[in-house]
Amino acid sequence: MAENPTAGLTQEDDDEIVDYDSDGNPIPPTTKKIILPLPPIDHSEIEYAPFEKNFYNEHEELGSLTGLQVVELRQKLNLRVSGAAPPKPCTSFAHFNLDEQLMHQIRKSEYTQPTPIQCQGVPIALSGRDMIGIAKTGSGKTAAFIWPMLVHIMDQKELEPGEGPIAVIVCPTRELCQQIHAECKRFGKAYSLRSVAVYGGGSMWEQAKALQDGAEIVVCTPGRLIDHVKKKATSLQRVTYLVFDEADRMFDMGFEYQVRSIASHVRPDRQTLLFSATFRKKIERLARDILVDPIRVVQGDIGEANEDVTQVVEMLPSGSDKWGWLTRRLVEFTSSGSVLIFVTKKANCDELASNLIQEGYSLGLLHGDMDQSERNKVISDFKKKNLPVLVATDVAGANVLLGLG
Ligand code: AMP
């Protein structure tokens, strides 16, 4: 709160309605009303019923995979996994050992195989472990936390009238809330589970009524959930499965203390899953504070945006502007380090390279038509600084080069 004193200040009636800029990034709300965190709670004074977290039985097909095969499989799925004793990645729906009712719903969605984040995320979540998932929207991450959540809920005793949810999913915006809620309903149908979405901008009264009617799953934006808990429309006493989705976006929007307030109000032995598109320092700190012995899964080429890297963006409208800009700066750049230039097409790559060679620069080329040994040679020369400049079309190749892939 000291770092961000205006966090959580929102309009009286439509807190958390989010506008987006032209790039689709949320614009932090202009704010008036302070949503105070929930009052502190002493969990040692509450008698929580015991519950089961681990429902995972490794499929026999995975039992025979060697350590090396697991490493290769993760590479193939573009996954990086860290943390104590992570389960092996699954490669088919059969490996999840889900029951027929849930498989029926999945088949109805016409998914043929799990996405990479599901291959690794589902066995982690099914085994009751806390997890940090670094994955983009579109990766299939929503189902990766919903399917294990349903198994988790089904193991618990039914909700009594007046009891709050068993699973809570916290996300930054109304749109995301509605999307996740739709997925919860789609797959929750397998067991007739109820999901309620509560978000800023929606009717407090209607949401409160839906909460009071009872739901095993609540999908929410953080401030609105806090409001409902304060007004006793629901309680977090029965929550044992807690998900924070798009945590970095929630932080960008100033919801950090609300996120922390919710986490501190749920029994400490719950299962917690944290999803984010980046793993910046603040998210890392949150993960340390609210997760226990987590497994971290990074899917795809995204990952930690390194805070030590300064990015300077300059927009240059034409080819001749770019050429002028580059030749004016290249001496300075090469004298302070290595220079990597990305171009869109191989033809641009050849043209730029021959122009630079005419100017007297020595450089390497990296593009899709080269065979592996040529690529390796160029990459190794660039790494050893035998070549100060590399012109490349191939982002994947360059990721390997930079140690990101
Ligand atoms: P998400 O990243 O969770 O927003 O999911 C992106 C989209 O992928 C959603 O429209 C899902 O319905 C869809 N999806 C999720 N899992 C699978 C799968 N295994 N196969 C194909 N599509 C999927």
Side-chain angles (χ1 to χ4, degrees):
M1 285 182 79
E3 275 174 27
N4 191 358
T6 56
L9 296 171
T10 54
Q11 302 279 352
E12 182 70 49
D13 286 319
D14 48 1
D15 50 325
E16 295 165 28
I17 289 187
V18 176
D19 287 326
Y20 296 89
D21 64 20
S22 54
D23 294 327
N25 297 313
I27 301 167
T30 45
T31 53
K32 275 194 194 126
K33 175 186 152 197
I34 298 180
I35 298 174
L36 291 170
L38 293 162
I41 191 167
D42 182 357
H43 293 285
S44 66
E45 286 183 356
I46 302 172
E47 235 181 82
Y48 290 114
F51 71 102
E52 183 57 54
K53 286 189 203 178
N54 183 358
F55 307 99
Y56 185 59
N57 292 311
E58 189 181 83
H59 193 278
E60 55 188 26
E61 275 173 25
L62 298 175
S64 58
L65 284 183
T66 64
L68 186 62
Q69 284 169 321
V70 168
V71 170
E72 284 170 354
L73 192 53
R74 289 201 180 117
Q75 246 165 24
K76 203 173 110 201
L77 297 167
N78 209 351
L79 292 167
R80 277 160 288 158
V81 181
S82 50
K88 295 171 182 174
C90 299
T91 48
S92 77
F93 281 114
H95 293 166
F96 296 156
N97 279 321
L98 300 171
D99 68 15
E100 182 43 38
Q101 283 150 283
L102 184 50
M103 276 316 299
H104 177 71
Q105 284 310 123
I106 295 174
R107 271 196 296 274
K108 263 173 62 182
S109 308
E110 297 184 352
Y111 300 165
T112 48
Q113 63 183 62
T115 65
I117 189 72
Q118 292 164 1
C119 289
Q120 187 62 77
V122 171
I124 293 173
L126 271 180
S127 41
R129 296 285 301 269
D130 282 4
M131 168 172 157
I132 304 161
I134 309 292
K136 282 192 248 187
T137 298
S139 59
K141 65 185 163 70
T142 314
F145 62 74
I146 287 180
W147 298 329
M149 172 187 84
L150 300 176
V151 175
H152 178 109
I153 293 172
M154 288 312 289
D155 187 66
Q156 303 231 0
K157 84 175 182 22
E158 277 184 32
L159 286 190
E160 304 274 340
E163 283 186 330
I166 297 169
V168 166
I169 302 163
V170 187
C171 65
T173 64
R174 165 167 59 171
E175 290 78 9
L176 189 59
C177 212
Q178 287 169 330
Q179 276 169 34
I180 298 171
H181 171 61
E183 297 274 292
C184 288
K185 281 201 298 192
R186 173 148 64 124
F187 294 114
K189 242 189 232 158
Y191 309 114
S192 307
L193 293 175
R194 296 157 296 175
S195 171
V196 169
V198 302
Y199 44 81
S203 151
M204 258 318 259
W205 185 85
E206 276 175 27
Q207 292 173 2
K209 180 156 184 336
L211 289 169
Q212 281 151 0
D213 287 347
E216 290 80 10
I217 306 159
V218 168
V219 188
C220 60
T221 52
R224 187 49 74 98
L225 179 69
I226 289 175
D227 266 355
H228 282 298
V229 172
K230 279 196 217 151
K231 293 190 172 129
K232 305 223 173 344
T234 189
S235 96
L236 303 178
Q237 291 249 341
R238 279 220 50 193
V239 178
T240 49
Y241 192 97
L242 182 59
V243 181
F244 294 99
D245 195 17
E246 303 208 353
D248 48 351
R249 239 165 127 193
M250 290 202 271
F251 275 37
D252 290 345
M253 292 164 71
F255 299 156
E256 175 171 359
Y257 90 94
Q258 298 170 342
V259 163
R260 287 180 175 275
S261 173
I262 292 169
S264 70
H265 256 253
V266 177
R267 60 190 283 176
D269 59 348
R270 79 221 164 201
Q271 182 175 3
T272 316
L273 295 97
L274 177 73
F275 286 83
S276 178
T278 60
F279 199 53
R280 288 169 292 170
K281 286 246 161 55
K282 277 186 149 193
I283 303 290
E284 204 179 317
R285 225 178 298 142
L286 175 76
R288 260 203 311 273
D289 293 343
I290 69 166
L291 305 180
V292 179
D293 192 19
I295 298 174
R296 191 173 79 168
V297 181
V298 182
Q299 203 281 311
D301 295 327
I302 53 159
E304 300 94 302
N306 190 328
E307 288 190 338
D308 298 328
V309 175
T310 307
Q311 301 190 39
V312 181
V313 178
E314 285 193 48
M315 305 274 282
L316 299 163
S318 71
S320 61
D321 289 333
K322 291 181 200 169
W323 174 249
W325 183 92
L326 183 65
T327 45
R328 272 199 307 280
R329 282 170 172 73
L330 205 49
V331 173
E332 181 201 331
F333 286 163
T334 47
S335 59
S336 51
S338 302
V339 180
L340 182 52
I341 306 171
F342 285 112
V343 292
T344 352
K345 297 196 203 97
K346 179 176 170 289
N348 306 131
C349 202
D350 292 334
E351 187 190 342
L352 181 62
S354 73
N355 289 346
L356 286 172
I357 288 165
Q358 271 179 20
E359 294 284 322
Y361 289 101
S362 65
L363 52 83
L365 274 177
L366 191 68
H367 56 70
D369 289 352
M370 293 161 67
D371 69 36
Q372 199 57 47
S373 70
E374 287 175 302
R375 293 160 73 96
N376 289 347
K377 167 130 189 27
V378 172
I379 287 172
S380 123
D381 280 345
F382 186 66
K383 275 187 168 171
K384 286 188 204 140
K385 301 199 179 359
N386 295 341
L387 291 169
V389 181
L390 183 65
V391 183
T393 55
D394 185 341
V395 177
N399 275 343
V400 172
L401 164 73
L402 298 169
L404 303 173

Coordinates of all heavy atoms in Angstrom, one line a residue, residues 315-373:
M315 N 10.2 4.6 -33.6 CA 9.4 4.2 -34.8 C 10.0 4.9 -36.0 O 10.1 6.1 -35.9 CB 8.0 4.6 -34.6 CG 7.3 4.1 -33.3 SD 6.6 2.5 -33.6 CE 5.2 2.9 -34.5
L316 N 10.4 4.2 -37.0 CA 10.9 4.8 -38.2 C 10.1 4.4 -39.4 O 9.8 3.2 -39.7 CB 12.4 4.3 -38.4 CG 13.3 4.6 -37.2 CD1 14.5 3.7 -37.3 CD2 13.7 6.1 -37.3
P317 N 9.5 5.4 -40.0 CA 8.5 5.1 -41.0 C 8.9 4.4 -42.3 O 8.2 3.6 -42.8 CB 7.9 6.5 -41.4 CG 8.9 7.5 -40.9 CD 9.7 6.9 -39.8
S318 N 10.1 4.7 -42.8 CA 10.5 4.2 -44.1 C 11.8 3.4 -44.1 O 12.6 3.5 -43.1 CB 10.6 5.3 -45.1 OG 11.8 6.0 -44.9
G319 N 12.0 2.7 -45.1 CA 13.2 1.9 -45.2 C 14.5 2.8 -45.2 O 15.5 2.5 -44.5
S320 N 14.4 3.9 -45.9 CA 15.6 4.8 -45.9 C 15.8 5.4 -44.5 O 17.0 5.6 -44.1 CB 15.5 5.9 -47.0 OG 14.3 6.7 -46.7
D321 N 14.7 5.7 -43.8 CA 14.9 6.2 -42.4 C 15.6 5.1 -41.6 O 16.5 5.4 -40.7 CB 13.6 6.5 -41.7 CG 12.9 7.7 -42.3 OD1 13.6 8.6 -42.8 OD2 11.6 7.7 -42.3
K322 N 15.2 3.9 -41.8 CA 15.8 2.8 -40.9 C 17.3 2.6 -41.3 O 18.1 2.5 -40.4 CB 15.1 1.5 -41.2 CG 13.7 1.4 -40.7 CD 13.1 0.1 -41.0 CE 11.5 0.2 -40.9 NZ 10.9 -1.0 -41.4
W323 N 17.6 2.7 -42.6 CA 19.0 2.6 -43.0 C 19.8 3.7 -42.4 O 20.9 3.5 -41.9 CB 19.0 2.5 -44.5 CG 20.4 2.5 -45.1 CD1 21.1 3.5 -45.8 CD2 21.4 1.5 -44.9 NE1 22.3 3.2 -46.1 CE2 22.6 1.9 -45.6 CE3 21.4 0.2 -44.4 CZ2 23.7 1.1 -45.7 CZ3 22.6 -0.6 -44.4 CH2 23.7 -0.1 -45.1
G324 N 19.3 4.9 -42.5 CA 20.0 6.1 -42.0 C 20.3 5.9 -40.5 O 21.4 6.1 -39.9
W325 N 19.2 5.5 -39.8 CA 19.3 5.3 -38.3 C 20.3 4.3 -37.9 O 21.1 4.5 -37.1 CB 17.9 4.9 -37.8 CG 17.8 4.7 -36.3 CD1 17.4 5.7 -35.4 CD2 18.0 3.6 -35.5 NE1 17.4 5.2 -34.2 CE2 17.8 3.9 -34.2 CE3 18.5 2.3 -35.9 CZ2 18.0 3.0 -33.2 CZ3 18.7 1.4 -34.8 CH2 18.4 1.7 -33.5
L326 N 20.3 3.2 -38.7 CA 21.2 2.1 -38.4 C 22.6 2.5 -38.6 O 23.5 2.3 -37.7 CB 20.8 0.9 -39.2 CG 21.6 -0.4 -38.9 CD1 21.3 -0.9 -37.5 CD2 21.2 -1.5 -40.0
T327 N 22.9 3.1 -39.8 CA 24.3 3.4 -40.1 C 24.9 4.5 -39.2 O 26.0 4.5 -38.9 CB 24.5 3.7 -41.6 OG1 23.4 4.6 -41.9 CG2 24.4 2.5 -42.5
R328 N 24.0 5.4 -38.7 CA 24.5 6.4 -37.8 C 24.9 5.8 -36.5 O 25.8 6.3 -35.8 CB 23.4 7.5 -37.6 CG 23.3 8.6 -38.6 CD 22.6 9.8 -38.1 NE 21.2 9.5 -37.6 CZ 20.2 9.3 -38.5 NH1 20.4 9.4 -39.8 NH2 19.0 9.0 -38.0
R329 N 24.2 4.7 -36.1 CA 24.4 4.2 -34.7 C 25.3 3.0 -34.6 O 25.7 2.6 -33.5 CB 23.1 3.9 -34.0 CG 22.4 5.2 -33.5 CD 21.0 4.8 -33.1 NE 20.4 6.0 -32.5 CZ 20.0 7.1 -33.1 NH1 20.2 7.2 -34.4 NH2 19.4 8.1 -32.4
L330 N 25.5 2.3 -35.8 CA 26.1 1.0 -35.7 C 27.5 1.0 -35.1 O 27.9 0.1 -34.3 CB 26.1 0.4 -37.1 CG 26.1 -1.1 -37.1 CD1 25.1 -1.8 -36.2 CD2 25.9 -1.7 -38.5
V331 N 28.3 2.0 -35.4 CA 29.7 2.1 -34.8 C 29.6 2.1 -33.3 O 30.3 1.3 -32.6 CB 30.4 3.3 -35.4 CG1 31.8 3.4 -34.6 CG2 30.6 3.2 -36.9
E332 N 28.7 3.0 -32.8 CA 28.5 3.1 -31.4 C 28.1 1.8 -30.8 O 28.6 1.3 -29.7 CB 27.5 4.2 -31.1 CG 27.2 4.5 -29.6 CD 25.9 5.2 -29.5 OE1 25.5 5.9 -30.4 OE2 25.2 5.0 -28.5
F333 N 27.1 1.2 -31.4 CA 26.5 -0.1 -30.9 C 27.6 -1.2 -30.8 O 27.8 -1.9 -29.8 CB 25.4 -0.6 -31.7 CG 24.1 0.2 -31.5 CD1 23.1 0.1 -32.5 CD2 23.9 1.0 -30.4 CE1 21.9 0.8 -32.3 CE2 22.7 1.7 -30.2 CZ 21.7 1.6 -31.2
T334 N 28.3 -1.4 -32.0 CA 29.3 -2.5 -32.0 C 30.5 -2.2 -31.1 O 31.1 -3.1 -30.6 CB 29.9 -2.7 -33.4 OG1 30.2 -1.4 -34.0 CG2 28.8 -3.3 -34.3
S335 N 30.8 -0.9 -30.8 CA 31.9 -0.7 -29.8 C 31.4 -1.0 -28.4 O 32.3 -1.3 -27.5 CB 32.4 0.7 -30.0 OG 31.4 1.6 -29.7
S336 N 30.1 -1.0 -28.1 CA 29.8 -1.3 -26.7 C 29.2 -2.7 -26.6 O 29.0 -3.2 -25.5 CB 28.8 -0.3 -26.2 OG 27.7 -0.1 -27.1
G337 N 29.0 -3.5 -27.7 CA 28.5 -4.9 -27.5 C 28.2 -5.5 -28.8 O 28.5 -5.0 -29.9
S338 N 27.4 -6.6 -28.8 CA 27.0 -7.3 -30.0 C 25.7 -6.7 -30.5 O 24.9 -6.2 -29.7 CB 26.8 -8.8 -29.7 OG 28.0 -9.3 -29.2
V339 N 25.4 -6.8 -31.8 CA 24.2 -6.2 -32.3 C 23.4 -7.3 -33.1 O 24.0 -8.0 -34.0 CB 24.6 -5.1 -33.3 CG1 23.3 -4.5 -33.9 CG2 25.4 -4.0 -32.6
L340 N 22.2 -7.4 -32.8 CA 21.3 -8.4 -33.4 C 20.2 -7.7 -34.1 O 19.5 -6.9 -33.5 CB 20.7 -9.3 -32.3 CG 19.9 -10.5 -32.7 CD1 20.5 -11.4 -33.8 CD2 19.6 -11.3 -31.5
I341 N 20.1 -7.9 -35.5 CA 19.1 -7.1 -36.2 C 18.1 -8.1 -36.8 O 18.5 -9.0 -37.5 CB 19.8 -6.4 -37.4 CG1 20.9 -5.4 -36.9 CG2 18.7 -5.5 -38.2 CD1 21.7 -4.8 -38.0
F342 N 16.8 -7.9 -36.5 CA 15.8 -8.8 -37.0 C 15.2 -8.2 -38.3 O 14.9 -7.0 -38.3 CB 14.7 -9.0 -36.0 CG 15.1 -10.0 -34.9 CD1 15.2 -9.5 -33.6 CD2 15.3 -11.3 -35.2 CE1 15.6 -10.4 -32.6 CE2 15.7 -12.2 -34.2 CZ 15.8 -11.7 -32.9
V343 N 15.0 -9.0 -39.3 CA 14.3 -8.5 -40.5 C 13.1 -9.5 -40.7 O 13.2 -10.6 -40.2 CB 15.2 -8.4 -41.7 CG1 16.2 -7.3 -41.5 CG2 15.9 -9.7 -42.0
T344 N 12.1 -9.1 -41.5 CA 11.0 -9.9 -41.7 C 11.2 -11.1 -42.7 O 10.9 -12.2 -42.4 CB 9.8 -9.1 -42.2 OG1 10.1 -7.8 -42.2 CG2 8.5 -9.4 -41.5
K345 N 11.9 -10.8 -43.8 CA 12.0 -11.8 -44.9 C 13.5 -12.1 -45.2 O 14.3 -11.2 -45.0 CB 11.3 -11.3 -46.2 CG 9.9 -11.1 -46.1 CD 9.3 -11.0 -47.5 CE 8.0 -10.2 -47.4 NZ 8.1 -8.8 -47.8
K346 N 13.7 -13.2 -45.8 CA 15.0 -13.6 -46.1 C 15.6 -12.6 -47.1 O 16.8 -12.3 -47.1 CB 15.1 -15.0 -46.7 CG 16.4 -15.5 -47.1 CD 16.4 -16.9 -47.6 CE 17.8 -17.3 -48.2 NZ 18.0 -16.6 -49.5
A347 N 14.8 -12.2 -48.1 CA 15.3 -11.2 -49.1 C 15.8 -9.9 -48.4 O 16.9 -9.4 -48.8 CB 14.2 -10.9 -50.1
N348 N 15.1 -9.5 -47.4 CA 15.5 -8.3 -46.6 C 16.8 -8.6 -46.0 O 17.7 -7.7 -45.9 CB 14.5 -7.9 -45.6 CG 13.1 -7.7 -46.1 OD1 12.2 -8.2 -45.5 ND2 13.0 -6.9 -47.2
C349 N 16.9 -9.8 -45.5 CA 18.1 -10.2 -44.8 C 19.4 -10.1 -45.7 O 20.4 -9.5 -45.3 CB 17.9 -11.7 -44.4 SG 18.8 -12.3 -43.0
D350 N 19.2 -10.7 -46.9 CA 20.3 -10.6 -47.9 C 20.7 -9.2 -48.3 O 21.8 -8.8 -48.3 CB 19.9 -11.4 -49.1 CG 19.8 -12.9 -48.9 OD1 20.5 -13.4 -47.9 OD2 19.0 -13.6 -49.6
E351 N 19.6 -8.4 -48.5 CA 19.9 -7.0 -49.0 C 20.6 -6.2 -47.9 O 21.6 -5.6 -48.2 CB 18.5 -6.4 -49.3 CG 18.6 -5.0 -50.0 CD 17.3 -4.3 -50.1 OE1 16.2 -5.0 -50.0 OE2 17.3 -3.1 -50.2
L352 N 20.0 -6.3 -46.7 CA 20.7 -5.5 -45.6 C 22.1 -6.0 -45.4 O 23.0 -5.2 -45.2 CB 19.8 -5.7 -44.3 CG 20.3 -5.0 -43.1 CD1 20.3 -3.5 -43.3 CD2 19.5 -5.3 -41.9
A353 N 22.3 -7.3 -45.4 CA 23.6 -7.8 -45.2 C 24.6 -7.3 -46.2 O 25.7 -6.8 -45.9 CB 23.6 -9.4 -45.2
S354 N 24.2 -7.4 -47.5 CA 25.2 -6.9 -48.5 C 25.4 -5.4 -48.4 O 26.6 -5.0 -48.6 CB 24.7 -7.4 -49.9 OG 23.7 -6.6 -50.3
N355 N 24.4 -4.6 -48.1 CA 24.6 -3.2 -47.9 C 25.6 -2.9 -46.8 O 26.5 -2.1 -46.8 CB 23.3 -2.5 -47.6 CG 22.4 -2.4 -48.9 OD1 22.9 -2.7 -50.0 ND2 21.2 -2.1 -48.7
L356 N 25.4 -3.7 -45.7 CA 26.3 -3.5 -44.5 C 27.7 -3.9 -44.8 O 28.7 -3.3 -44.4 CB 25.8 -4.2 -43.3 CG 24.5 -3.6 -42.6 CD1 24.0 -4.5 -41.5 CD2 24.9 -2.2 -42.0
I357 N 27.9 -5.0 -45.6 CA 29.2 -5.5 -45.9 C 29.9 -4.4 -46.8 O 31.1 -4.1 -46.6 CB 29.1 -6.9 -46.6 CG1 28.7 -7.9 -45.6 CG2 30.5 -7.2 -47.3 CD1 28.3 -9.2 -46.2
Q358 N 29.1 -3.8 -47.7 CA 29.7 -2.7 -48.5 C 30.2 -1.6 -47.7 O 31.2 -0.9 -48.0 CB 28.7 -2.2 -49.5 CG 28.7 -3.0 -50.8 CD 27.6 -2.4 -51.8 OE1 27.1 -1.3 -51.6 NE2 27.3 -3.3 -52.7
E359 N 29.5 -1.4 -46.5 CA 30.0 -0.3 -45.6 C 31.1 -0.7 -44.8 O 31.6 0.0 -44.0 CB 28.8 0.1 -44.7 CG 27.6 0.7 -45.3 CD 27.8 2.2 -45.7 OE1 28.5 2.9 -44.9 OE2 27.3 2.5 -46.8
G360 N 31.6 -2.0 -44.9 CA 32.8 -2.4 -44.2 C 32.5 -3.2 -43.0 O 33.5 -3.5 -42.2
Y361 N 31.3 -3.6 -42.7 CA 31.0 -4.3 -41.4 C 31.2 -5.8 -41.7 O 30.8 -6.3 -42.8 CB 29.6 -4.1 -41.0 CG 29.4 -2.7 -40.4 CD1 28.8 -1.7 -41.2 CD2 29.8 -2.4 -39.1 CE1 28.6 -0.4 -40.7 CE2 29.7 -1.1 -38.6 CZ 29.1 -0.1 -39.4 OH 29.0 1.1 -38.9
S362 N 31.7 -6.5 -40.7 CA 31.7 -8.0 -40.8 C 30.5 -8.5 -40.0 O 30.2 -8.0 -38.9 CB 33.0 -8.6 -40.3 OG 33.1 -8.4 -39.0
L363 N 29.7 -9.4 -40.6 CA 28.5 -9.8 -40.0 C 28.1 -11.3 -40.3 O 28.7 -11.9 -41.2 CB 27.3 -8.9 -40.4 CG 27.1 -8.7 -41.9 CD1 26.3 -9.8 -42.5 CD2 26.4 -7.3 -42.0
G364 N 27.2 -11.8 -39.6 CA 26.7 -13.1 -39.8 C 25.2 -13.1 -40.3 O 24.5 -12.1 -40.0
L365 N 24.7 -14.1 -40.9 CA 23.3 -14.2 -41.4 C 22.7 -15.4 -40.8 O 23.3 -16.4 -40.6 CB 23.3 -14.4 -42.9 CG 23.4 -13.2 -43.8 CD1 23.4 -13.6 -45.3 CD2 22.1 -12.3 -43.6
L366 N 21.4 -15.2 -40.4 CA 20.7 -16.4 -39.8 C 19.3 -16.4 -40.4 O 18.5 -15.4 -40.2 CB 20.6 -16.3 -38.3 CG 20.1 -17.5 -37.5 CD1 21.1 -18.6 -37.6 CD2 19.9 -17.1 -36.0
H367 N 19.0 -17.4 -41.2 CA 17.6 -17.5 -41.8 C 17.2 -18.9 -42.0 O 18.0 -19.8 -41.9 CB 17.5 -16.6 -43.1 CG 18.5 -17.0 -44.1 ND1 18.4 -18.2 -44.8 CD2 19.5 -16.4 -44.6 CE1 19.4 -18.3 -45.7 NE2 20.1 -17.2 -45.6
G368 N 15.9 -19.1 -42.3 CA 15.3 -20.4 -42.3 C 15.8 -21.3 -43.4 O 15.7 -22.6 -43.2
D369 N 16.5 -20.8 -44.4 CA 16.9 -21.7 -45.5 C 18.3 -22.4 -45.2 O 18.8 -23.2 -45.9 CB 17.1 -20.9 -46.8 CG 15.7 -20.6 -47.4 OD1 14.7 -21.1 -46.8 OD2 15.6 -19.8 -48.4
M370 N 18.9 -22.0 -44.1 CA 20.2 -22.5 -43.8 C 20.1 -23.9 -43.1 O 19.1 -24.1 -42.3 CB 21.0 -21.5 -42.8 CG 21.3 -20.2 -43.5 SD 21.7 -18.9 -42.3 CE 23.2 -19.5 -41.6
D371 N 21.0 -24.7 -43.3 CA 20.9 -26.0 -42.6 C 21.5 -25.9 -41.2 O 22.2 -24.8 -40.8 CB 21.6 -27.2 -43.4 CG 23.1 -27.1 -43.5 OD1 23.7 -26.6 -42.5 OD2 23.6 -27.5 -44.6
Q372 N 21.3 -26.9 -40.4 CA 21.6 -26.8 -38.9 C 23.1 -26.5 -38.7 O 23.4 -25.7 -37.8 CB 21.2 -28.0 -38.2 CG 21.0 -27.9 -36.7 CD 20.0 -26.8 -36.3 OE1 18.9 -26.7 -36.9 NE2 20.4 -25.9 -35.4
S373 N 24.0 -27.1 -39.5 CA 25.4 -26.9 -39.2 C 25.8 -25.5 -39.5 O 26.6 -24.8 -38.8 CB 26.3 -27.9 -39.9 OG 26.3 -27.7 -41.2

